[in-house]
Amino acid sequence: MAAKNILLLAGDYAEDYETMVPFQALLMVGHKVHAVCPGKKAGEHVRTAIHDFEGDQTYSEKPGHNFVLNFDFDQVRAEAYDALVIPGGRAPEYLRLNDQVLALVRAFAEAGKPIAAVCHGAQLLAAAGVLEGRACSAYPACAPEVRLAGGRFVEIEVDQAHTEGNLVTAPAWPAHPAWLAQFLSLLGTRITL
């Protein structure tokens, strides 16, 4: 298996599990992952939040870890990467206001490179205008944004994922096994026991 260069777009209050788990899992299987955040450099961190499902009308939010970035956002060039990971949480809410971030998302989509977005990551896909005519899952509260962006919201169980072409999406972190397995398949990653 050839190692892939993967970009992970993070930001303050990204969901902890949706940032840390794919970052570590992709490194574990031999890929190179650059975790970046606009306005921050390698060695700096983003604060994360843990979202949990405890029977309330929406998820609860608790403080997460300080996730250390390993690459400078200002050095990122889409053509240097094979795939993109977009964690959820609150970060996509404001990252979608950054023109450079939206241009990166568009570049990956236009090149047909694998994109894995989970939970509120769909907010970046919608804002970048890459969901027109595409099926996409996300946290259910993002369904209106998916539809307004011309996408078809796919309602699936919280532990499931959906793949259409180069796009792998899921409702939230309980889907990590399915979401990451489908993303690894798009990357051509084979794990044998």
Side-chain angles (χ1 to χ4, degrees):
M1 170 196 91
K4 304 290 186 186
N5 293 321
I6 301 170
L7 182 66
L8 186 145
L9 283 173
D12 284 322
Y13 300 102
E15 209 290 326
D16 188 274
Y17 299 151
E18 295 169 5
T19 306
M20 187 69 76
V21 172
F23 179 77
Q24 292 178 332
L26 292 165
L27 288 174
M28 178 202 63
V29 299
H31 296 303
K32 184 175 183 178
V33 183
H34 282 166
V36 300
C37 175
K40 298 194 182 201
K41 299 181 184 309
E44 295 180 333
H45 71 269
V46 293
R47 294 180 186 269
T48 67
I50 296 171
H51 294 153
D52 213 346
F53 308 100
E54 301 175 304
D56 300 310
Q57 291 180 326
T58 189
Y59 55 84
S60 63
E61 186 171 79
K62 299 167 183 66
H65 297 91
N66 287 334
F67 176 77
V68 178
L69 304 166
N70 67 351
F71 199 73
D72 296 358
F73 180 81
D74 290 340
Q75 294 181 20
V76 170
R77 302 293 173 263
E79 58 273 10
Y81 297 94
D82 301 301
L84 175 65
V85 175
I86 305 172
R90 286 192 288 146
E93 175 184 291
Y94 65 86
L95 288 177
R96 65 186 167 168
L97 302 176
N98 184 305
D99 289 336
Q100 288 177 285
V101 169
L102 296 179
L104 278 171
V105 173
R106 278 188 214 103
F108 279 91
E110 289 167 4
K113 294 179 180 182
I115 299 173
V118 63
C119 197
H120 286 70
Q123 290 178 315
L124 276 180
L125 299 174
V130 301
L131 291 179
E132 182 73 37
R134 307 283 312 267
C136 174
S137 183
Y139 187 69
C142 296
E145 290 170 272
V146 170
R147 292 182 184 117
L148 287 168
R152 182 175 62 83
F153 179 71
V154 178
E155 191 170 336
I156 54 179
E157 295 297 321
V158 73
D159 62 349
Q160 297 300 304
H162 176 79
T163 298
E164 180 181 291
N166 67 319
L167 183 61
V168 181
T169 54
W173 59 260
H176 277 149
W179 181 63
L180 287 169
Q182 290 177 37
F183 186 53
L184 289 173
S185 179
L186 279 183
L187 295 173
T189 306
R190 302 286 179 258
I191 300 171
T192 58
L193 301 176

